mmCIF file of all heavy atoms in Angstrom:
data_model
loop_
_atom_site.group_PDB
_atom_site.id
_atom_site.type_symbol
_atom_site.label_atom_id
_atom_site.label_comp_id
_atom_site.label_asym_id
_atom_site.label_seq_id
_atom_site.Cartn_x
_atom_site.Cartn_y
_atom_site.Cartn_z
ATOM 1 N N PRO A 1 80.394 3.182 -29.612
ATOM 2 C CA PRO A 1 80.827 1.881 -30.144
ATOM 3 C C PRO A 1 82.177 1.915 -30.867
ATOM 4 O O PRO A 1 82.916 0.942 -30.843
ATOM 5 C CB PRO A 1 79.708 1.498 -31.113
ATOM 6 C CG PRO A 1 78.538 2.313 -30.701
ATOM 7 C CD PRO A 1 79.078 3.559 -30.067
ATOM 8 N N LYS A 2 82.505 3.035 -31.495
ATOM 9 C CA LYS A 2 83.776 3.115 -32.219
ATOM 10 C C LYS A 2 84.975 3.180 -31.275
ATOM 11 O O LYS A 2 86.089 2.913 -31.682
ATOM 12 C CB LYS A 2 83.781 4.330 -33.138
ATOM 13 C CG LYS A 2 82.819 4.192 -34.296
ATOM 14 C CD LYS A 2 82.878 5.374 -35.213
ATOM 15 C CE LYS A 2 81.879 5.186 -36.344
ATOM 16 N NZ LYS A 2 81.867 6.305 -37.266
ATOM 17 N N GLU A 3 84.744 3.534 -30.028
ATOM 18 C CA GLU A 3 85.821 3.653 -29.050
ATOM 19 C C GLU A 3 86.041 2.365 -28.257
ATOM 20 O O GLU A 3 86.930 2.302 -27.420
ATOM 21 C CB GLU A 3 85.518 4.797 -28.073
ATOM 22 C CG GLU A 3 85.515 6.160 -28.724
ATOM 23 C CD GLU A 3 86.887 6.566 -29.217
ATOM 24 O OE1 GLU A 3 87.881 6.364 -28.490
ATOM 25 O OE2 GLU A 3 86.970 7.078 -30.344
ATOM 26 N N ARG A 4 85.250 1.362 -28.513
ATOM 27 C CA ARG A 4 85.327 0.129 -27.745
ATOM 28 C C ARG A 4 86.604 -0.642 -28.034
ATOM 29 O O ARG A 4 86.991 -0.828 -29.172
ATOM 30 C CB ARG A 4 84.144 -0.779 -28.067
ATOM 31 C CG ARG A 4 82.848 -0.306 -27.534
ATOM 32 C CD ARG A 4 81.760 -1.287 -27.859
ATOM 33 N NE ARG A 4 80.484 -0.768 -27.396
ATOM 34 C CZ ARG A 4 79.330 -1.241 -27.761
ATOM 35 N NH1 ARG A 4 79.264 -2.265 -28.590
ATOM 36 N NH2 ARG A 4 78.229 -0.727 -27.301
ATOM 37 N N ILE A 5 87.195 -1.121 -26.969
ATOM 38 C CA ILE A 5 88.300 -2.065 -27.091
ATOM 39 C C ILE A 5 87.706 -3.476 -27.066
ATOM 40 O O ILE A 5 88.113 -4.351 -27.805
ATOM 41 C CB ILE A 5 89.318 -1.859 -25.957
ATOM 42 C CG1 ILE A 5 89.958 -0.476 -26.121
ATOM 43 C CG2 ILE A 5 90.375 -2.959 -25.962
ATOM 44 C CD1 ILE A 5 90.792 -0.044 -24.958
ATOM 45 N N PHE A 6 86.712 -3.658 -26.209
ATOM 46 C CA PHE A 6 85.968 -4.911 -26.130
ATOM 47 C C PHE A 6 84.519 -4.605 -26.478
ATOM 48 O O PHE A 6 83.988 -3.576 -26.085
ATOM 49 C CB PHE A 6 86.046 -5.511 -24.729
ATOM 50 C CG PHE A 6 87.437 -5.925 -24.336
ATOM 51 C CD1 PHE A 6 88.239 -5.082 -23.590
ATOM 52 C CD2 PHE A 6 87.941 -7.151 -24.720
ATOM 53 C CE1 PHE A 6 89.518 -5.454 -23.226
ATOM 54 C CE2 PHE A 6 89.217 -7.534 -24.368
ATOM 55 C CZ PHE A 6 90.013 -6.677 -23.618
ATOM 56 N N TYR A 7 83.883 -5.520 -27.180
ATOM 57 C CA TYR A 7 82.517 -5.286 -27.637
ATOM 58 C C TYR A 7 81.505 -5.351 -26.495
ATOM 59 O O TYR A 7 80.566 -4.576 -26.444
ATOM 60 C CB TYR A 7 82.152 -6.284 -28.737
ATOM 61 C CG TYR A 7 80.809 -6.019 -29.345
ATOM 62 C CD1 TYR A 7 80.593 -4.899 -30.140
ATOM 63 C CD2 TYR A 7 79.746 -6.871 -29.097
ATOM 64 C CE1 TYR A 7 79.348 -4.636 -30.684
ATOM 65 C CE2 TYR A 7 78.494 -6.625 -29.639
ATOM 66 C CZ TYR A 7 78.308 -5.500 -30.434
ATOM 67 O OH TYR A 7 77.072 -5.238 -30.954
ATOM 68 N N ARG A 8 81.710 -6.310 -25.547
ATOM 69 C CA ARG A 8 80.749 -6.512 -24.467
ATOM 70 C C ARG A 8 81.476 -6.594 -23.129
ATOM 71 O O ARG A 8 82.652 -6.920 -23.071
ATOM 72 C CB ARG A 8 79.972 -7.830 -24.664
ATOM 73 C CG ARG A 8 79.345 -7.999 -26.006
ATOM 74 C CD ARG A 8 78.822 -9.409 -26.215
ATOM 75 N NE ARG A 8 79.922 -10.390 -26.137
ATOM 76 C CZ ARG A 8 79.743 -11.699 -26.077
ATOM 77 N NH1 ARG A 8 78.537 -12.203 -26.058
ATOM 78 N NH2 ARG A 8 80.766 -12.513 -26.021
ATOM 79 N N TYR A 9 80.730 -6.345 -22.060
ATOM 80 C CA TYR A 9 81.292 -6.481 -20.714
ATOM 81 C C TYR A 9 81.767 -7.902 -20.455
ATOM 82 O O TYR A 9 82.786 -8.110 -19.807
ATOM 83 C CB TYR A 9 80.263 -6.104 -19.647
ATOM 84 C CG TYR A 9 79.928 -4.631 -19.552
ATOM 85 C CD1 TYR A 9 78.866 -4.212 -18.776
ATOM 86 C CD2 TYR A 9 80.661 -3.659 -20.213
ATOM 87 C CE1 TYR A 9 78.540 -2.865 -18.666
ATOM 88 C CE2 TYR A 9 80.338 -2.322 -20.117
ATOM 89 C CZ TYR A 9 79.277 -1.930 -19.326
ATOM 90 O OH TYR A 9 78.953 -0.607 -19.214
ATOM 91 N N ILE A 10 81.047 -8.882 -20.959
ATOM 92 C CA ILE A 10 81.433 -10.275 -20.734
ATOM 93 C C ILE A 10 82.787 -10.569 -21.384
ATOM 94 O O ILE A 10 83.570 -11.360 -20.862
ATOM 95 C CB ILE A 10 80.342 -11.267 -21.220
ATOM 96 C CG1 ILE A 10 80.622 -12.698 -20.734
ATOM 97 C CG2 ILE A 10 80.211 -11.268 -22.727
ATOM 98 C CD1 ILE A 10 80.304 -12.932 -19.304
ATOM 99 N N ASP A 11 83.088 -9.887 -22.481
ATOM 100 C CA ASP A 11 84.396 -10.056 -23.125
ATOM 101 C C ASP A 11 85.507 -9.504 -22.231
ATOM 102 O O ASP A 11 86.579 -10.102 -22.123
ATOM 103 C CB ASP A 11 84.416 -9.359 -24.489
ATOM 104 C CG ASP A 11 83.413 -9.945 -25.465
ATOM 105 O OD1 ASP A 11 83.152 -11.164 -25.391
ATOM 106 O OD2 ASP A 11 82.885 -9.179 -26.293
ATOM 107 N N VAL A 12 85.240 -8.374 -21.601
ATOM 108 C CA VAL A 12 86.201 -7.812 -20.652
ATOM 109 C C VAL A 12 86.395 -8.787 -19.499
ATOM 110 O O VAL A 12 87.532 -9.088 -19.114
ATOM 111 C CB VAL A 12 85.724 -6.439 -20.108
ATOM 112 C CG1 VAL A 12 86.691 -5.907 -19.052
ATOM 113 C CG2 VAL A 12 85.549 -5.426 -21.228
ATOM 114 N N TYR A 13 85.303 -9.298 -18.965
ATOM 115 C CA TYR A 13 85.337 -10.201 -17.809
ATOM 116 C C TYR A 13 86.166 -11.455 -18.108
ATOM 117 O O TYR A 13 87.050 -11.828 -17.325
ATOM 118 C CB TYR A 13 83.905 -10.568 -17.434
ATOM 119 C CG TYR A 13 83.758 -11.388 -16.182
ATOM 120 C CD1 TYR A 13 83.719 -10.784 -14.930
ATOM 121 C CD2 TYR A 13 83.621 -12.772 -16.244
ATOM 122 C CE1 TYR A 13 83.558 -11.528 -13.773
ATOM 123 C CE2 TYR A 13 83.458 -13.521 -15.093
ATOM 124 C CZ TYR A 13 83.422 -12.899 -13.861
ATOM 125 O OH TYR A 13 83.270 -13.640 -12.733
ATOM 126 N N MET A 14 85.905 -12.088 -19.230
ATOM 127 C CA MET A 14 86.615 -13.329 -19.563
ATOM 128 C C MET A 14 88.096 -13.072 -19.836
ATOM 129 O O MET A 14 88.955 -13.811 -19.354
ATOM 130 C CB MET A 14 85.956 -14.016 -20.762
ATOM 131 C CG MET A 14 84.594 -14.594 -20.448
ATOM 132 S SD MET A 14 83.864 -15.614 -21.760
ATOM 133 C CE MET A 14 83.745 -14.468 -23.107
ATOM 134 N N ASN A 15 88.387 -12.043 -20.612
ATOM 135 C CA ASN A 15 89.784 -11.730 -20.898
ATOM 136 C C ASN A 15 90.533 -11.281 -19.654
ATOM 137 O O ASN A 15 91.702 -11.616 -19.469
ATOM 138 C CB ASN A 15 89.879 -10.670 -21.995
ATOM 139 C CG ASN A 15 89.635 -11.243 -23.360
ATOM 140 O OD1 ASN A 15 90.468 -11.946 -23.904
ATOM 141 N ND2 ASN A 15 88.466 -10.976 -23.912
ATOM 142 N N ALA A 16 89.866 -10.536 -18.794
ATOM 143 C CA ALA A 16 90.501 -10.063 -17.569
ATOM 144 C C ALA A 16 90.883 -11.224 -16.655
ATOM 145 O O ALA A 16 91.928 -11.175 -15.999
ATOM 146 C CB ALA A 16 89.579 -9.093 -16.841
ATOM 147 N N ALA A 17 90.060 -12.261 -16.598
ATOM 148 C CA ALA A 17 90.392 -13.431 -15.782
ATOM 149 C C ALA A 17 91.704 -14.053 -16.265
ATOM 150 O O ALA A 17 92.588 -14.371 -15.459
ATOM 151 C CB ALA A 17 89.266 -14.454 -15.840
ATOM 152 N N ILE A 18 91.838 -14.194 -17.560
ATOM 153 C CA ILE A 18 93.048 -14.792 -18.141
ATOM 154 C C ILE A 18 94.255 -13.891 -17.917
ATOM 155 O O ILE A 18 95.311 -14.345 -17.466
ATOM 156 C CB ILE A 18 92.834 -15.068 -19.645
ATOM 157 C CG1 ILE A 18 91.724 -16.102 -19.835
ATOM 158 C CG2 ILE A 18 94.139 -15.519 -20.307
ATOM 159 C CD1 ILE A 18 91.188 -16.190 -21.255
ATOM 160 N N ILE A 19 94.096 -12.607 -18.216
ATOM 161 C CA ILE A 19 95.201 -11.647 -18.055
ATOM 162 C C ILE A 19 95.611 -11.555 -16.590
ATOM 163 O O ILE A 19 96.803 -11.547 -16.264
ATOM 164 C CB ILE A 19 94.793 -10.250 -18.596
ATOM 165 C CG1 ILE A 19 94.523 -10.305 -20.097
ATOM 166 C CG2 ILE A 19 95.823 -9.191 -18.241
ATOM 167 C CD1 ILE A 19 95.726 -10.582 -20.954
ATOM 168 N N GLY A 20 94.635 -11.460 -15.705
ATOM 169 C CA GLY A 20 94.939 -11.388 -14.282
ATOM 170 C C GLY A 20 95.722 -12.597 -13.808
ATOM 171 O O GLY A 20 96.688 -12.475 -13.056
ATOM 172 N N PHE A 21 95.334 -13.778 -14.264
ATOM 173 C CA PHE A 21 96.053 -14.991 -13.869
ATOM 174 C C PHE A 21 97.459 -15.022 -14.468
ATOM 175 O O PHE A 21 98.426 -15.306 -13.764
ATOM 176 C CB PHE A 21 95.280 -16.247 -14.265
ATOM 177 C CG PHE A 21 95.997 -17.498 -13.872
ATOM 178 C CD1 PHE A 21 96.013 -17.907 -12.549
ATOM 179 C CD2 PHE A 21 96.691 -18.241 -14.808
ATOM 180 C CE1 PHE A 21 96.702 -19.043 -12.166
ATOM 181 C CE2 PHE A 21 97.381 -19.381 -14.445
ATOM 182 C CZ PHE A 21 97.390 -19.780 -13.108
ATOM 183 N N ILE A 22 97.576 -14.740 -15.745
ATOM 184 C CA ILE A 22 98.884 -14.798 -16.406
ATOM 185 C C ILE A 22 99.887 -13.858 -15.746
ATOM 186 O O ILE A 22 101.034 -14.216 -15.518
ATOM 187 C CB ILE A 22 98.748 -14.490 -17.915
ATOM 188 C CG1 ILE A 22 98.066 -15.656 -18.621
ATOM 189 C CG2 ILE A 22 100.104 -14.183 -18.549
ATOM 190 C CD1 ILE A 22 97.714 -15.385 -20.068
ATOM 191 N N TYR A 23 99.438 -12.647 -15.418
ATOM 192 C CA TYR A 23 100.340 -11.654 -14.841
ATOM 193 C C TYR A 23 100.336 -11.654 -13.310
ATOM 194 O O TYR A 23 100.997 -10.826 -12.690
ATOM 195 C CB TYR A 23 100.009 -10.258 -15.388
ATOM 196 C CG TYR A 23 100.409 -10.128 -16.835
ATOM 197 C CD1 TYR A 23 99.461 -10.223 -17.847
ATOM 198 C CD2 TYR A 23 101.736 -9.948 -17.202
ATOM 199 C CE1 TYR A 23 99.828 -10.129 -19.181
ATOM 200 C CE2 TYR A 23 102.114 -9.852 -18.528
ATOM 201 C CZ TYR A 23 101.146 -9.948 -19.510
ATOM 202 O OH TYR A 23 101.520 -9.856 -20.830
ATOM 203 N N GLY A 24 99.590 -12.581 -12.716
ATOM 204 C CA GLY A 24 99.572 -12.682 -11.263
ATOM 205 C C GLY A 24 98.944 -11.478 -10.585
ATOM 206 O O GLY A 24 99.310 -11.141 -9.460
ATOM 207 N N GLU A 25 97.996 -10.859 -11.254
ATOM 208 C CA GLU A 25 97.338 -9.670 -10.719
ATOM 209 C C GLU A 25 96.029 -10.063 -10.049
ATOM 210 O O GLU A 25 95.114 -10.542 -10.701
ATOM 211 C CB GLU A 25 97.052 -8.663 -11.836
ATOM 212 C CG GLU A 25 98.288 -8.159 -12.556
ATOM 213 C CD GLU A 25 99.117 -7.222 -11.699
ATOM 214 O OE1 GLU A 25 98.565 -6.540 -10.821
ATOM 215 O OE2 GLU A 25 100.343 -7.172 -11.921
ATOM 216 N N LYS A 26 95.961 -9.874 -8.736
ATOM 217 C CA LYS A 26 94.733 -10.123 -7.994
ATOM 218 C C LYS A 26 94.410 -8.861 -7.202
ATOM 219 O O LYS A 26 95.309 -8.180 -6.720
ATOM 220 C CB LYS A 26 94.888 -11.286 -7.017
ATOM 221 C CG LYS A 26 95.117 -12.617 -7.685
ATOM 222 C CD LYS A 26 94.967 -13.801 -6.757
ATOM 223 C CE LYS A 26 95.840 -13.755 -5.549
ATOM 224 N NZ LYS A 26 95.835 -15.016 -4.788
ATOM 225 N N GLU A 27 93.118 -8.556 -7.098
ATOM 226 C CA GLU A 27 92.705 -7.384 -6.333
ATOM 227 C C GLU A 27 91.452 -7.689 -5.539
ATOM 228 O O GLU A 27 90.623 -8.505 -5.937
ATOM 229 C CB GLU A 27 92.435 -6.189 -7.261
ATOM 230 C CG GLU A 27 93.683 -5.615 -7.871
ATOM 231 C CD GLU A 27 93.436 -4.308 -8.610
ATOM 232 O OE1 GLU A 27 92.324 -3.751 -8.530
ATOM 233 O OE2 GLU A 27 94.377 -3.856 -9.279
ATOM 234 N N GLU A 28 91.327 -6.992 -4.425
ATOM 235 C CA GLU A 28 90.136 -7.072 -3.587
ATOM 236 C C GLU A 28 89.036 -6.202 -4.189
ATOM 237 O O GLU A 28 89.294 -5.359 -5.053
ATOM 238 C CB GLU A 28 90.452 -6.579 -2.169
ATOM 239 C CG GLU A 28 91.502 -7.411 -1.450
ATOM 240 C CD GLU A 28 91.039 -8.830 -1.176
ATOM 241 O OE1 GLU A 28 89.850 -9.013 -0.847
ATOM 242 O OE2 GLU A 28 91.865 -9.752 -1.295
ATOM 243 N N ILE A 29 87.826 -6.364 -3.685
ATOM 244 C CA ILE A 29 86.709 -5.516 -4.102
ATOM 245 C C ILE A 29 87.017 -4.085 -3.679
ATOM 246 O O ILE A 29 87.436 -3.836 -2.547
ATOM 247 C CB ILE A 29 85.392 -6.004 -3.468
ATOM 248 C CG1 ILE A 29 85.045 -7.397 -3.981
ATOM 249 C CG2 ILE A 29 84.258 -5.024 -3.733
ATOM 250 C CD1 ILE A 29 83.887 -8.056 -3.268
ATOM 251 N N ASP A 30 86.817 -3.146 -4.592
ATOM 252 C CA ASP A 30 87.101 -1.740 -4.330
ATOM 253 C C ASP A 30 85.951 -1.119 -3.539
ATOM 254 O O ASP A 30 84.819 -1.081 -4.009
ATOM 255 C CB ASP A 30 87.293 -1.001 -5.659
ATOM 256 C CG ASP A 30 87.458 0.491 -5.465
ATOM 257 O OD1 ASP A 30 88.136 0.883 -4.504
ATOM 258 O OD2 ASP A 30 86.908 1.249 -6.280
ATOM 259 N N LYS A 31 86.281 -0.611 -2.347
ATOM 260 C CA LYS A 31 85.273 0.035 -1.508
ATOM 261 C C LYS A 31 85.647 1.462 -1.141
ATOM 262 O O LYS A 31 84.854 2.157 -0.518
ATOM 263 C CB LYS A 31 85.071 -0.775 -0.229
ATOM 264 C CG LYS A 31 84.528 -2.164 -0.468
ATOM 265 C CD LYS A 31 84.416 -2.945 0.812
ATOM 266 C CE LYS A 31 83.932 -4.358 0.510
ATOM 267 N NZ LYS A 31 83.953 -5.202 1.688
ATOM 268 N N ASP A 32 86.857 1.883 -1.527
ATOM 269 C CA ASP A 32 87.356 3.163 -1.030
ATOM 270 C C ASP A 32 87.732 4.178 -2.101
ATOM 271 O O ASP A 32 87.998 5.326 -1.760
ATOM 272 C CB ASP A 32 88.587 2.922 -0.152
ATOM 273 C CG ASP A 32 88.272 2.051 1.048
ATOM 274 O OD1 ASP A 32 87.171 2.203 1.604
ATOM 275 O OD2 ASP A 32 89.118 1.220 1.414
ATOM 276 N N SER A 33 87.783 3.806 -3.351
ATOM 277 C CA SER A 33 88.258 4.743 -4.370
ATOM 278 C C SER A 33 87.186 5.779 -4.698
ATOM 279 O O SER A 33 86.045 5.703 -4.231
ATOM 280 C CB SER A 33 88.660 4.002 -5.647
ATOM 281 O OG SER A 33 87.522 3.610 -6.367
ATOM 282 N N GLU A 34 87.570 6.708 -5.532
ATOM 283 C CA GLU A 34 86.615 7.733 -5.960
ATOM 284 C C GLU A 34 85.471 7.141 -6.785
ATOM 285 O O GLU A 34 84.444 7.778 -6.965
ATOM 286 C CB GLU A 34 87.337 8.808 -6.769
ATOM 287 C CG GLU A 34 87.975 8.269 -8.052
ATOM 288 C CD GLU A 34 88.800 9.299 -8.774
ATOM 289 O OE1 GLU A 34 88.223 10.286 -9.280
ATOM 290 O OE2 GLU A 34 90.027 9.112 -8.821
ATOM 291 N N TYR A 35 85.637 5.927 -7.286
ATOM 292 C CA TYR A 35 84.623 5.264 -8.107
ATOM 293 C C TYR A 35 83.805 4.246 -7.311
ATOM 294 O O TYR A 35 83.129 3.414 -7.895
ATOM 295 C CB TYR A 35 85.278 4.549 -9.293
ATOM 296 C CG TYR A 35 86.164 5.428 -10.123
ATOM 297 C CD1 TYR A 35 87.527 5.218 -10.176
ATOM 298 C CD2 TYR A 35 85.628 6.486 -10.852
ATOM 299 C CE1 TYR A 35 88.341 6.033 -10.950
ATOM 300 C CE2 TYR A 35 86.437 7.303 -11.624
ATOM 301 C CZ TYR A 35 87.797 7.070 -11.663
ATOM 302 O OH TYR A 35 88.593 7.876 -12.423
ATOM 303 N N LYS A 36 83.852 4.304 -5.990
ATOM 304 C CA LYS A 36 83.232 3.270 -5.152
ATOM 305 C C LYS A 36 81.733 3.083 -5.393
ATOM 306 O O LYS A 36 81.192 2.020 -5.098
ATOM 307 C CB LYS A 36 83.490 3.544 -3.679
ATOM 308 C CG LYS A 36 82.856 4.805 -3.168
ATOM 309 C CD LYS A 36 83.226 5.052 -1.735
ATOM 310 C CE LYS A 36 82.657 6.407 -1.317
ATOM 311 N NZ LYS A 36 83.312 6.925 -0.163
ATOM 312 N N ASP A 37 81.059 4.060 -5.959
ATOM 313 C CA ASP A 37 79.619 3.949 -6.208
ATOM 314 C C ASP A 37 79.275 3.453 -7.617
ATOM 315 O O ASP A 37 78.099 3.288 -7.930
ATOM 316 C CB ASP A 37 78.931 5.297 -5.960
ATOM 317 C CG ASP A 37 79.058 5.733 -4.510
ATOM 318 O OD1 ASP A 37 79.065 4.849 -3.628
ATOM 319 O OD2 ASP A 37 79.162 6.946 -4.256
#
């Protein structure tokens, strides 16, 4: 908990929508990276 930048996943989700729109960052669903699972 002391390392958290955001308290909850929903906080990340909501802020990411705004940040992504402001900076014009859009991405497809990741299916190929090392983190795909």
Side-chain angles (χ1 to χ4, degrees):
K2 291 182 181 179
E3 294 294 316
R4 289 182 183 165
I5 295 170
F6 295 96
Y7 186 69
R8 308 169 299 169
Y9 289 170
I10 191 76
D11 297 328
V12 176
Y13 186 84
M14 290 188 300
N15 283 287
I18 296 165
I19 296 293
F21 180 75
I22 289 172
Y23 289 101
E25 299 288 332
K26 295 193 304 190
E27 289 189 8
E28 298 295 322
I29 296 171
D30 174 40
K31 297 177 183 173
D32 300 323
S33 76
E34 62 186 293
Y35 306 114
K36 65 184 175 200
D37 297 327

